[in-house]
Amino acid sequence: MMPPPLPRVRWVPAVLLAALGAGTVRTRRRLRAIPVLPMVPPAAGTVPRAAGWRLLTARGVEPDAATFLAACAHAEREGLRVLDLLPADLAAERALGLLRLVDPARYREDRLGEGRGAGYAVLVAEEVLARAGVEPGAPRPVPAELLALTRRLKEYAADATGLAIAPALSCGRPGAASRRPGPGSRRAAELRAQGLPPGALAAAQLCGLALLAGAAVRQGRWGAAAAGLYWLQPYLALGGPGSPLRPHDLARATAARPACSLAAALRTAAAAARDRGEGPDTARAAAYRADLAAGTDRFLEPRRPDCPWCGSRRLTVRVRVPDLLQAKPGRFTLERCGNCGHVFQNPRLTLEGLEFYYRDFYDGRGGAGAGTVFGRLGAAYRARAEMLRPHVEPRSWLDVGTGHGHFCNAARAVWPHTRFDGLDMGDGVREAERRGWVHTGYQGQFPEFASKLADQYEVVSMYHYLEHTRDPLAELDAAAAVLAPGGYLAIELPDPQSRMARLLGPAWLPWFQPQHQHLIPAANLHEALTDRGFTVLAEEHGPAHQGNDFFGAVALTATRLAPEPERPWGPPPTPRTRAVAGAVRVAALPFFAAAAALDALRTASARHTDGGNAYRLLARKDTR
């Protein structure tokens, strides 16, 4: 007996048609927002060397003198230090991909936005190249390398990076591509260079094509209209007499789009799968094996019998979990004080343990991913900076636990005349100084700088920092010493009294084991600040909420079920472990989608009810 036919979901083609239509209009609008370089007569028959500028081009790309001069003039006029040049004959799908990622109207002002470009030519100020440590005389890169360089250079020209179309610039000789890897490997490499996961994007593209095909076959005229709009999208978005681009493959890219998209997705997925099979960095794996040979017991101190905040011995286990962040060996316990509610890691990590478990998370192997996450928190950073508006216009600000300086970079949009300095234990603070995200970077423990920096700052901030420290009370003492009389201390912390902590249990992301040492209730922090001569001026819960409760729970659970096979601190990957991890990732996709929707609802609720998973305090140091 044949199964009954699946029912038609009539709203699907309407949603697809609306999404494709909106995307096409948005792409066309963004394309029109990109300035087109005017042509100027060249000063000589070859590309001149303009003082202070370098034009970096991919292999096979030969710019003329007029393009170089026009680019220099445009950058000088607009105050840009990095300018990515789009060739007029840029391939259609490449142009569509770039315009999906970049809104030219907001690109420059987005200080934390990732650097994007076409991957063929970039005009860069020599001082930016010097700060970024880029050797201008290096061999000419392939497009993937130039895309990665553009992404890096924006970090050194945060609000001085732009895009422009160069009408006389060409993508290069057709033969140049033949000396590179195949198209699937090229596309996968270019996606990685932009910080994008090729395997996931290829899977999403295949799912989208399947959905369109199903709508076209089963949903009648509306399904056919959605598929037709997808088919014609390259010409509708990029073609026509008023378009500033003239893609060399526009006719073919439009006529054969479904077949070309399917082939590109399959090749990219295959290339991504091959690359995953290369295994971890052998040198890094050997270093971790040496660290783990003596076991993990030395990474933990003896358990203490009393609360480090109030001294009470009324302790109960709040949560006991393995490392769900990186899946490194070890098991960690958070205990709660029955007297004051303080939650702390017990036993806590030794200094050697801190180094081991932090390694390759914010820097090294995990540095790119951490940077991407922090780069997407611009709205939260600006909200933290805005909290000072009713009270002071700061001239000097020290951000403690600054990492790579993301907050300071974003906060400049709120306080452009403030001197932002940063302090952190990691090497990232030095990089923040080179980027210009902080004026001065101090590397080391905050209490060590208390006497050196005494009374020097109007504002000290500790955003998601105290929970990482071994002795939060000593950190508050240092802040009191560093602030000038009447100065302001801004703190943001996870809230251990959050309802989501009870609901999600070990899968609540802000437990963040093994990195978080202390989770401090707001009342305890109030009391500690008062004891140190501070007056609390403002307390925010809902506005400080970070919308990651459910998404984080899914991510931590997926890591617990199937850790990344290629992690260098784990056993060597096998076909079975790779297959299990891949299956768990695929199975988790609908849960991630549902979690994202729940987090959006939860964020709206937290802001409305003023109750979230974190809180902010602003306190003033008394002048007496």
Side-chain angles (χ1 to χ4, degrees), residues 33-34 144 165 187 258 270 274 308 342 387 391 414 457 480 505-506 525 592 605 616 621:
I34 302 177
I165 295 171
R187 184 168 184 251
R274 285 196 303 271
H342 185 74
M387 194 178 187
H391 306 282
V414 180
Y457 289 95
L525 188 56
F592 276 118
S605 169
R616 295 182 193 131
K621 179 181 175 181

Side-chain angles (χ1 to χ4, degrees), residues 322-328 552-564 567 569 584-585 588 592:
D323 177 5
L324 300 180
L325 304 176
Q326 295 177 288
K328 288 181 176 178
V554 173
L556 294 181
T557 302
T559 299
R560 193 168 195 165
L561 293 174
E564 181 194 355
R567 64 196 189 282
W569 46 84
V584 169
R585 289 170 186 155
F592 276 118

Side-chain angles (χ1 to χ4, degrees), residues 260-282:
C260 290
S261 295
L262 178 61
L266 291 173
R267 287 194 296 258
T268 303
R274 285 196 303 271
D275 293 343
R276 279 201 304 268
E278 292 177 359
D281 183 318
T282 53

